[in-house]
Amino acid sequence: MLERTYKNLSRIWMVVFTIGFIALILKFITGERLAGYGSYIPWGLWVALYFHFVGIAGGVFALGTLGYIFNLTGFRENFRVVIIVSVASVITGLFAIWLDLGQPFRFTRILYAPNFGSMMAFNAWMYTFFIITAGVIFYLTLNKEKQTDFHDKKRWILPLMALGFLFSIAFPSQSGAFFGVVDAKPFWSSPLLPILFLVSAITSGGAVLLLVYTFLHYEEFDLTHQPFKMLRYTIIGGIIFYFVAEFAEYSLVFWSPNSHIREAVELILFGPFWWVFWLVHLGGALVALYLLLKGKTYQTVGTGAFIVAVTFVSARLNILIPGQAVAELKGLKEAFYHERLRFDYSATLNEYLIALFIGAFGVALVYFGIKLLSQFTKKKLGTEL
């Protein structure tokens, strides 16, 4: 049964990867002509994916670290898996934002000639330090006498883990702050934004980690015990908290007759892409909640986790796009006309296909990373993953 599931998933992955790769080649041949974003809305689907994947990276590492410190079953002995999933998510997010750059092959300038007055430079260096820290922690986990031990032989793992935890919390919070400092966009200037980004990161990161565990350890651990129990409750709590906070923010807008962000919120709820909020975001969350609460098999729980991991990208889209789709100056929309000077954004087929490729790229990083780790632990440590 499981073997057939793997085969079907492999075929789906191969199709998605191939089609997405063709779209990627077309993107590099034609430049930006196949994209739907323009001068007024320069950040589209790929930027939303960037924030989604770095959020997942932060959520995975933060939850994995808490599980490790509190010695929850399945976390200490599998912390290398946590590191692989987290780093793979960061790399996937950086790949997504790299595709959005106007001059993608000049990205190294942010490393050797950074302007730390820019939050983008700050973030780029933070991701770099996180990957280095995660790499060192990975190495130190190999120096433990038993994988369930708290410390490595040199006792460096805990302080480095604390540093990595700080980075993992900073990823999503910083993403929210990234929008909050754009004073020209009232919709983004919300003190709730860093909290919403952090909660969605913990929720989607927990979902990805739960999904990985359902594939790796479905025979080893009971579904009603750790690590599944902690991850399920974290995801359920995260979904509920996120929607309560979102309701609080949106309801205040409609109570205030002169709210500056009413137009943006109306776009989310009743605009041309109403279905992103009502069907993908809210509908997906309700289905996932049902599966996570009532699910008694690994298939149903894994499906619930998968739905959360995918549909929570709508949370990013509902922040990113409406904030750009409202003109700061009245009459600007009518003053100039060009296909790139529009305040309505629809992702094109090319953008959707490349988005699928980005997802397939992330899955490949996690799959091959865990595969290599499995072979390494068998060969060097004489233990199963």
Side-chain angles (χ1 to χ4, degrees):
M1 177 69 179
L2 186 66
E3 192 176 341
R4 193 173 65 183
T5 304
Y6 274 124
K7 279 184 180 176
N8 290 335
L9 290 175
S10 301
R11 289 178 187 135
I12 294 170
W13 180 88
M14 186 63 74
V15 171
V16 168
F17 186 86
T18 305
I19 295 174
F21 186 68
I22 294 169
L24 186 66
I25 293 172
L26 286 174
K27 190 260 184 208
F28 280 109
I29 292 173
T30 60
E32 310 290 328
R33 277 178 286 174
L34 296 179
Y37 49 79
S39 296
Y40 292 155
I41 303 185
W43 295 342
L45 180 60
W46 303 334
V47 178
L49 285 176
Y50 153 68
F51 285 113
H52 187 54
F53 276 106
V54 296
I56 287 173
V60 166
F61 194 88
L63 290 173
T65 302
L66 290 175
Y68 184 100
I69 290 172
F70 291 104
N71 197 21
L72 300 180
T73 304
F75 282 97
R76 275 190 196 173
E77 54 269 47
N78 293 296
F79 197 71
R80 287 191 288 269
V81 172
V82 169
I83 292 173
I84 287 173
V85 176
S86 184
V87 171
S89 300
V90 171
I91 293 171
T92 307
L94 293 178
F95 177 58
I97 198 65
W98 177 74
L99 290 173
D100 194 73
L101 296 176
Q103 297 286 340
F105 296 104
R106 294 176 63 187
F107 74 96
T108 51
R109 284 181 60 84
I110 206 164
L111 295 176
Y112 69 80
N115 170 17
F116 286 110
S118 162
M119 243 180 216
M120 287 186 181
F122 185 82
N123 285 349
W125 274 87
M126 185 168 61
Y127 300 140
T128 305
F129 279 120
F130 172 76
I131 292 172
I132 294 170
T133 305
V136 177
I137 294 172
F138 186 96
Y139 171 74
L140 292 175
T141 61
L142 302 174
N143 289 332
K144 294 199 295 184
E145 290 184 2
K146 289 189 295 183
Q147 291 310 302
T148 51
D149 286 350
F150 189 69
H151 292 289
D152 63 301
K153 291 176 183 174
K154 300 287 185 183
R155 291 181 172 262
W156 271 103
I157 199 167
L158 189 58
L160 285 172
M161 203 175 279
L163 182 63
F165 182 79
L166 184 64
F167 284 134
S168 67
I169 294 296
F171 284 173
S173 309
Q174 186 73 4
S175 298
F178 178 85
F179 288 101
V181 298
V182 184
D183 291 333
K185 305 285 187 185
F187 180 63
W188 290 343
S189 298
S190 166
L192 262 182
L193 221 50
I195 297 171
L196 286 175
F197 269 74
L198 178 60
V199 173
S200 67
I202 296 291
T203 307
S204 51
V208 169
L209 204 51
L210 179 59
L211 189 60
V212 171
Y213 275 128
T214 55
F215 275 101
L216 287 181
H217 303 291
Y218 69 97
E219 289 178 333
E220 189 176 347
F221 303 117
D222 191 305
L223 200 56
T224 58
H225 291 82
Q226 305 295 2
F228 298 105
K229 190 176 175 183
M230 177 261 208
L231 291 173
R232 286 172 75 175
Y233 288 151
T234 300
I235 299 166
I236 291 167
I239 291 173
I240 293 171
F241 184 94
Y242 191 92
F243 277 95
V244 169
E246 206 168 46
F247 172 78
E249 187 169 29
Y250 291 178
S251 59
L252 281 177
V253 169
F254 288 105
W255 275 104
S256 171
N258 300 315
S259 173
H260 296 295
I261 64 171
R262 187 182 183 113
E263 190 176 349
V265 175
E266 285 180 342
L267 267 179
I268 295 171
L269 300 178
F270 313 116
F273 295 96
W274 59 269
W275 54 271
V276 174
F277 178 84
W278 295 104
L279 298 183
V280 180
H281 187 45
L282 182 58
L286 290 175
V287 173
L289 274 177
Y290 178 79
L291 294 175
L292 290 169
L293 282 168
K294 297 290 184 182
K296 297 188 186 311
T297 65
Y298 290 94
Q299 287 85 354
T300 51
V301 171
T303 303
F306 175 76
I307 290 172
V308 174
V310 173
T311 60
F312 248 66
V313 73
S314 61
R316 303 288 194 257
L317 283 167
N318 283 334
I319 292 170
L320 184 68
I321 306 302
Q324 304 171 84
V326 177
E328 298 87 10
L329 298 174
K330 285 187 178 177
L332 182 61
K333 187 188 281 187
E334 295 80 18
F336 306 98
Y337 179 78
H338 188 274
E339 61 178 7
R340 295 293 182 189
L341 297 176
R342 299 172 58 181
F343 282 94
D344 53 333
Y345 165 75
S346 299
T348 61
L349 178 63
N350 183 261
E351 284 178 87
Y352 279 121
L353 292 178
I354 291 178
L356 290 175
F357 178 81
I358 292 168
F361 174 76
V363 170
L365 285 181
V366 172
Y367 176 80
F368 288 111
I370 292 176
K371 201 80 176 169
L372 287 173
L373 175 64
S374 178
Q375 291 176 356
F376 176 79
T377 50
K378 278 182 188 174
K379 188 175 179 182
K380 297 291 182 183
L381 305 178
T383 59
E384 296 286 341
L385 182 62

